[in-house]
Amino acid sequence: AHTMTHPILIRLNFQAQLAEILESKRLVADKIGQCQHFAYPNGQAGDWNQETLTILAQINQPIAWTTLARRIRINSDEPLCLPRLTVAAYHDFNYFRALVSGILVR
């Protein structure tokens, strides 16, 4: 899920954040049966807040992805603030292999 209208969540009040998140999760779940992942719109630090984290915790969202570009630190990253490595359509398989192997550090 990724919200319905792609707002920067920190700009919304609690109820508006809740509606954006729940409706997008419902839409995904209706199409594929479940929705275990959430990706913050824009995804940079400061794009979500404690209210956002509270909402995700209250609805039992297990994982949420940021766009902070680095590898996951197994013992220290919070499940609701996970970084991710971005692979674009123009990246070839060798780039992907180097990125996920750790040879290429972003």
Side-chain angles (χ1 to χ4, degrees):
H2 193 57
T3 70
M4 294 301 292
T5 63
H6 205 265
I8 303 302
L9 291 168
I10 197 168
R11 297 178 186 164
L12 303 179
N13 66 34
F14 186 92
Q15 289 302 322
Q17 286 189 48
L18 179 62
E20 284 278 345
I21 292 167
L22 284 179
E23 185 62 17
S24 69
K25 284 179 58 68
R26 184 199 60 76
L27 184 65
V28 171
D30 285 352
K31 294 206 181 275
I32 65 171
Q34 62 181 339
C35 181
Q36 295 183 8
H37 297 263
F38 178 78
Y40 297 101
N42 198 45
Q44 290 295 297
D47 291 337
W48 67 91
N49 57 19
Q50 188 56 51
E51 286 184 335
T52 315
L53 297 175
T54 298
I55 290 166
L56 294 174
Q58 287 178 350
I59 64 172
N60 297 314
Q61 179 63 47
I63 296 172
W65 300 94
T66 70
T67 57
L68 303 175
R70 63 173 175 73
R71 295 172 103 33
I72 293 173
R73 294 177 292 220
I74 299 294
N75 295 318
S76 63
D77 279 328
E78 293 294 326
L80 295 178
C81 295
L82 294 174
R84 71 179 185 218
L85 300 174
T86 301
V87 178
Y90 56 83
H91 290 135
D92 64 16
F93 184 71
N94 288 329
Y95 176 89
F96 174 77
R97 187 169 38 194
L99 185 64
V100 298
S101 72
I103 294 170
L104 179 64
V105 179
R106 286 267 165 183

